[in-house]
Amino acid sequence: MPRIAVVGAGPAGTSFVLHALRAGVDPSDLVLLDRARFPRPKLCGGALTWRGTELIREIAPELVPHERARMETTHLRFRCDLGDFEVREGGGQWLYDRAHLDARLLELVRDAGVEVREGTAIKGVEAGTDSVQVRTRGTERFDWVVGADGARGVVARSVGLAPGIVGRLVEAVYEPTDADPNPRELIFDFDPIRDGIPGYAWIFPYPKPEVAGQANTGTHAGLYKLGIMDGRGVAAGEDLRAWTDAFAERNGYRRVDTKLAGWPEHYYSHRTRAHVPGVLLTGEAWGIDPLLGEGIAPSIEISRYAAGRLKEALDAGVRTIPRYEKTFRKTEPGQNLRFQERLADLLYGKSPDRWLKVLFSHRRMLELAAAGTEAYGRLEKHTWMLTRSYAWQLLTGNL
Ligand SMILES: Cc1cc2nc3c(=O)[nH]c(=O)nc-3n(C[C@H](O)[C@H](O)[C@H](O)COP(=O)(O)OP(=O)(O)OC[C@H]3O[C@@H](n4cnc5c(N)ncnc54)[C@H](O)[C@@H]3O)c2cc1C
């Protein structure tokens, strides 16, 4: 009988299982449940940062070089009416069709001998003193339940773990009409801030699996995903849709999808609780990068941590993980998410125009962006250097 139910087979759920197995959990102790049948659609730009690709390589080395529904880019481009600059990481970024990426990861879970139940919606979870009851069509008891059920997770809600900030995003597939896009770059456009929307718009190449000849060429100027992230969830969905279509037209794109679809994002906060006895959260159910909404890589990083902590609890025969959230905050991924949280609070907070100006003129930050040695979202280690150089620039009147 499985002792641990993992709810949600997105990157958080599958990577949790794969990391748990690596930590020594027996496959027969795990069951992975998802309400969807795979491959299932997931609204997502599908962009994986350089660190994200490394994280996938760690759990699924065979997947990175062979996945057919993907493309590679060389850099990110941040832009707004103040100017633009390239962000070069220590390696390239990968673009995936999420339906395919998630289905491939799920295959690996199945191949490892773990029971997978698709088409199984969890309606609620009740944490008791010595087991957790999971409601589907009937009920089933487990020693542990792992909530990897994403932005609208039922697990967190059922056990009273309140969410942090929830953003609102819309996205669709477009094709260039007057645009001459560079399929090797990911565009992050911060102009929405000028229109009172705390977020950015994106233009990402889209490696649609069924477009013949597109996969792996990396040069196909075919389809693109355009969308907008409202990082505070303050704008109405219809305003975000209108903004995105106008943005697309300005940039020379025509919508291919019949409509712009919307989905929320749940952001990491150092205050969010993610554990009660017998239940823990991972991935977006706990929270992702609040600055740009990078979700795939942080979900895998959180799951690596969560799987290790659960294994410790199983070995100790306990149902409470001491300092689950606090200890994560001290890990490198936890510190980086906290750093992103601080940046998001500034850029999407009370003085967005001021911090947008800082982002586009902070000399040291621009040097790091150009260096090609760093990774997006992993700059916490440079906090003091960045703060010092910011203060110096302020004092010398250059900001
Ligand atoms: C428009 C948009 C664009 C994005 N672009 C990017 C991007 O380019 N790069 C990036 O890194 N991130 C991006 N993200 C964020 C990223 O998609 C998520 O953060 C990531 O998928 C989180 O992984 P997860 O496994 O935690 O959750 P999910 O991928 O959401 O998986 C959760 C799973 O749980 C299942 N589930 C939910 N409820 C239940 C239930 N009650 N019972 C059973 N199963 C359930 C769902 O079916 C789903 O399969 C984007 C998000 C949006 C909305």
Side-chain angles (χ1 to χ4, degrees), residues 181-381:
N182 175 358
R184 293 289 209 168
E185 77 178 5
L186 300 165
I187 293 177
F188 296 79
D189 188 310
F190 291 90
D191 275 345
I193 287 181
R194 299 297 201 205
D195 292 328
I197 301 171
Y200 72 94
W202 68 87
I203 304 176
F204 291 176
Y206 173 44
K208 194 173 180 179
E210 59 266 31
V211 176
Q214 176 163 340
N216 294 338
T217 64
T219 54
H220 187 295
L223 296 175
Y224 287 77
K225 278 195 174 177
L226 274 68
I228 187 170
M229 165 192 170
D230 164 2
R232 287 296 184 263
V234 291
E238 68 214 52
D239 293 341
L240 296 177
R241 287 185 173 86
W243 200 98
T244 307
D245 270 340
F247 170 72
E249 203 183 324
R250 263 200 319 275
N251 283 278
Y253 290 83
R254 176 175 51 213
R255 179 142 56 81
V256 174
D257 282 341
T258 45
K259 61 171 194 168
L260 276 143
W263 193 252
E265 271 187 343
H266 179 223
Y267 301 119
Y268 176 81
S269 156
H270 69 290
R271 292 196 188 87
T272 307
R273 285 177 54 229
H275 168 52
V276 296
V279 178
L280 52 88
L281 303 182
T282 186
E284 192 168 338
W286 186 346
I288 59 165
D289 167 23
L291 186 68
L292 297 189
E294 184 194 17
I296 305 168
S299 290
I300 299 173
E301 286 177 316
I302 294 172
S303 280
R304 179 169 55 185
Y305 167 79
R309 294 304 309 271
L310 180 60
K311 178 67 169 68
E312 282 168 21
L314 292 172
D315 291 346
V318 295
R319 302 188 66 250
T320 300
I321 298 177
R323 303 161 69 84
Y324 180 63
E325 299 87 349
K326 258 193 180 153
T327 305
F328 178 68
R329 288 213 293 271
K330 292 190 181 137
T331 64
E332 204 187 317
Q335 289 184 351
N336 280 319
L337 278 172
R338 176 77 180 108
F339 182 79
Q340 298 297 100
E341 184 189 358
R342 286 201 185 96
L343 293 187
D345 284 348
L346 295 174
L347 197 58
Y348 307 148
K350 286 199 181 104
S351 314
D353 289 326
R354 154 151 192 76
W355 290 105
L356 193 62
K357 190 169 166 223
V358 172
L359 177 65
F360 279 79
S361 47
H362 187 310
R363 276 200 298 260
R364 205 57 197 102
M365 180 80 101
L366 295 179
E367 280 165 25
L368 280 183
T373 52
E374 304 299 323
Y376 167 75
R378 278 89 187 158
L379 293 184
E380 192 277 340
K381 58 180 185 263

Side-chain angles (χ1 to χ4, degrees), residues 74-111:
T74 53
H75 60 275
L76 290 65
R77 179 174 297 284
F78 283 16
R79 67 182 205 192
C80 72
D81 59 349
L82 298 171
D84 73 312
F85 62 92
E86 287 180 6
V87 177
R88 292 204 172 249
E89 301 194 275
Q93 304 78 34
W94 292 90
L95 282 146
Y96 288 89
D97 175 82
R98 277 296 301 277
H100 277 249
L101 176 66
D102 293 9
R104 292 296 302 274
L105 287 168
L106 190 58
E107 258 171 52
L108 296 179
V109 167
R110 221 179 238 122
D111 292 350

Side-chain angles (χ1 to χ4, degrees), residues 7-14 33-36 38 40 42-49 95 98 102 120-123 148-155 169-171 200 202 204 228 261-265 282-285 288 292-299:
V7 181
T14 50
L33 312 147
D34 201 295
R35 65 182 170 201
F38 288 69
R40 55 104 176 82
K42 164 73 180 88
L43 201 66
C44 183
L48 206 58
T49 50
L95 282 146
R98 277 296 301 277
D102 293 9
T120 307
I122 306 307
K123 294 181 184 144
D149 46 352
R152 285 184 171 152
V154 71
V155 175
L169 292 84
V170 301
E171 180 194 74
Y200 72 94
W202 68 87
F204 291 176
I228 187 170
W263 193 252
E265 271 187 343
T282 186
E284 192 168 338
I288 59 165
L292 297 189
E294 184 194 17
I296 305 168
S299 290

